[in-house]
Amino acid sequence: MIKTILPEKTIGIIGGGQLGRMLAMSAKEMGYKIAILDPSFDCCGRQFSDIFIEALFDDTESIEKLCKISDVVTFEFENISATVLEKLEKVYNIVQSAEVLKITQHRYYEKEFAHRLNIPTVDYIYIEENTNIDIEKTYLMKTVRFGYDGKGQKIISKKEEIEQYTILEELITLDKEISVVAVKDKFDIQIIAVVENEHKNNILFRSKVPTTATEEQENFAIEYTKKILENIEYYGVLTVEFFISKGKVIFNEIAPRVHNSGHITMQSATKSQFRAHIEAICGLRVGKIQNRETTLYNILGQDLEYFKNLITKKQGFLHLYEKEPRKNRKVGHINFYGNIILGGYDEQ
């Protein structure tokens, strides 16, 4: 049974990037102490930690040190060692299980998991070492591990282009993309928000609540997300991304953590994904969450000055991560109430 961890206790966070930073900010508002482990002393979450451990994410000894000083441990991203976590969760209070990490760290395992739950996916071919496979369609080839924001992806149509340890996903006609940001506490599963997402160059560009999906499509996405949470040992926020193609809702991938599209809930929802996650991992009741119409724009390094200038003219909620701006690096986001289109910026 998940433990109840009350304010003034210590929450350990593996990862000090922007997600860890916003988790720490939300937890400190509630009165928790924060310990963060990250390889970079300059990570943007460090200033919100009471204890900081500078260490690599595969440093078992340092991760165990974090566990020893924390009353509960969480992580901000899934590319940490599932093997290390599996060993430590038998001794320490880690409520996002190694089981879900093993599934979500490998695209083939993730697709197979969805299939076992009768959740529709795109057609795919799993490539291990043998690349001598005839293909007659165009596929999106993805590395099976460690891909994000379009990294490790390539469109192919010839067998000579196939690489080892990849998954070939059939290209589909895309109507829209949505994500379901959900949370599981020890009492129930709640939907924090259903979000429609638009990407540019494989990086999240804009999100909005509510979506333009039909009620039936949203209900399918919610049903599939709840089925996933019901079938894994996991507490906290979990996000599932879906494609909608020719009206059909198709599973894309699972993020076992707070999620970029969920940043919209800092304004859209009666409780943000960060507050909901902290409550859930601490054994508290999250309760029902409602949303209002909101638009999010992701801020990349090259666009920082545009948004800093925009906020002097247009009412909105600017969230900067205090990261050094570089091209295509996520340095912040901004939320606006209503369905907002930023004129010329959208056509850039």
Side-chain angles (χ1 to χ4, degrees):
M1 174 61 73
I2 185 171
K3 297 177 182 177
T4 300
I5 310 297
L6 295 176
E8 299 184 348
K9 297 291 187 180
T10 299
I11 297 173
I13 303 174
I14 303 173
Q18 64 262 26
L19 299 178
R21 171 191 171 96
M22 288 182 276
L23 283 170
M25 291 169 68
S26 190
K28 289 192 79 67
E29 283 181 345
M30 297 174 68
Y32 288 97
K33 293 182 176 62
I34 298 296
I36 287 179
L37 181 146
D38 195 275
S40 172
F41 184 78
D42 296 323
C43 67
C44 64
R46 180 177 62 84
Q47 63 183 295
F48 294 98
S49 64
D50 299 282
I51 302 167
F52 181 75
I53 300 172
E54 186 176 355
L56 297 175
F57 295 127
D58 60 357
D59 183 337
T60 305
E61 186 177 328
S62 294
I63 293 177
E64 183 162 18
K65 179 181 175 182
L66 178 77
C67 292
K68 284 178 178 177
I69 61 175
S70 304
D71 296 284
V72 63
V73 174
T74 186
F75 50 81
E76 68 151 6
F77 70 115
E78 56 269 43
N79 289 337
I80 57 179
S81 172
T83 304
V84 170
L85 210 67
E86 186 174 35
K87 188 183 301 181
L88 294 174
E89 70 184 4
K90 295 173 183 174
V91 182
Y92 302 102
N93 189 23
I94 304 171
V95 296
Q96 292 155 282
S97 67
E99 174 198 7
V100 75
L101 273 185
K102 288 179 180 178
I103 293 168
T104 58
Q105 285 178 345
H106 197 288
R107 285 193 167 99
Y108 174 66
Y109 299 159
E110 196 173 46
K111 291 282 196 297
E112 289 293 289
F113 176 66
H115 267 174
R116 288 198 299 273
L117 298 179
N118 294 316
I119 298 173
T121 72
V122 295
D123 290 337
Y124 59 88
I125 303 170
Y126 177 40
I127 307 295
E128 291 188 279
E129 296 181 352
N130 178 24
T131 61
N132 187 28
I133 295 174
D134 292 321
I135 55 174
E136 298 177 352
K137 302 176 184 177
T138 299
Y139 289 91
L140 181 60
M141 181 174 68
K142 298 180 179 180
T143 55
V144 291
R145 292 172 64 86
F146 305 123
Y148 66 97
D149 288 347
K151 294 178 175 62
Q153 299 185 15
K154 187 191 301 182
I155 294 176
I156 67 165
S157 56
K158 301 175 183 176
K159 66 183 291 184
E160 292 77 18
E161 298 174 293
I162 298 174
E163 298 174 10
Q164 292 181 336
Y165 306 110
T166 58
I167 190 165
L168 311 185
E169 298 183 359
E170 184 178 1
L171 288 180
I172 59 174
T173 302
L174 189 63
D175 302 338
K176 56 180 64 74
E177 297 179 47
I178 64 172
S179 55
V180 179
V181 186
V183 62
K184 181 180 177 182
D185 63 22
K186 67 180 180 183
F187 305 97
D188 204 353
I189 296 170
Q190 300 289 347
I191 302 304
I192 303 174
V194 183
V195 186
E196 184 169 343
N197 302 305
E198 179 185 342
H199 294 78
K200 286 191 177 181
N201 301 317
N202 295 306
I203 301 173
L204 182 66
F205 173 67
R206 177 175 53 216
S207 296
K208 59 184 178 181
V209 171
T211 76
T212 58
T214 66
E215 183 178 359
E216 182 182 39
Q217 288 166 345
E218 285 200 4
N219 286 340
F220 272 123
I222 289 169
E223 176 192 332
Y224 297 151
T225 301
K226 286 184 173 180
K227 189 180 287 189
I228 287 167
L229 278 167
E230 287 164 355
N231 283 275
I232 52 175
E233 186 64 29
Y234 183 93
Y235 295 94
V237 169
L238 178 142
T239 302
V240 186
E241 300 176 11
F242 295 95
F243 300 133
I244 298 181
S245 176
K246 298 180 181 178
K248 186 178 179 182
V249 178
I250 300 172
F251 169 88
N252 179 29
E253 62 183 30
I254 302 167
R257 52 173 170 80
V258 290
H259 192 256
N260 198 165
S261 67
H263 296 352
I264 199 170
T265 65
M266 295 173 81
Q267 267 67 56
S268 74
T270 49
K271 183 175 290 182
S272 78
Q273 66 168 347
F274 302 104
R275 174 64 67 98
H277 184 76
I278 295 300
E279 290 178 349
I281 67 170
C282 289
L284 309 180
R285 184 185 290 275
V286 175
K288 291 196 178 297
I289 297 171
Q290 296 178 318
N291 282 265
R292 62 180 291 182
E293 188 175 42
T294 305
T295 303
L296 170 147
Y297 278 86
N298 219 23
I299 302 175
L300 302 180
Q302 64 268 30
D303 301 319
L304 178 59
E305 292 305 315
Y306 170 88
F307 283 100
K308 284 167 68 175
N309 181 58
L310 179 67
I311 203 66
T312 68
K313 304 170 185 176
K314 184 175 181 63
Q315 183 181 3
F317 300 85
L318 183 65
H319 303 271
L320 296 182
Y321 311 147
E322 298 185 86
K323 294 169 69 174
E324 180 184 349
R326 296 197 298 264
K327 186 174 181 180
N328 291 338
R329 188 186 198 191
K330 297 171 186 173
V331 296
H333 66 275
I334 188 166
N335 290 331
F336 300 100
Y337 287 136
N339 183 17
I340 302 298
I341 304 293
L342 292 181
Y345 178 75
D346 279 24
E347 282 99 45
Q348 287 184 13

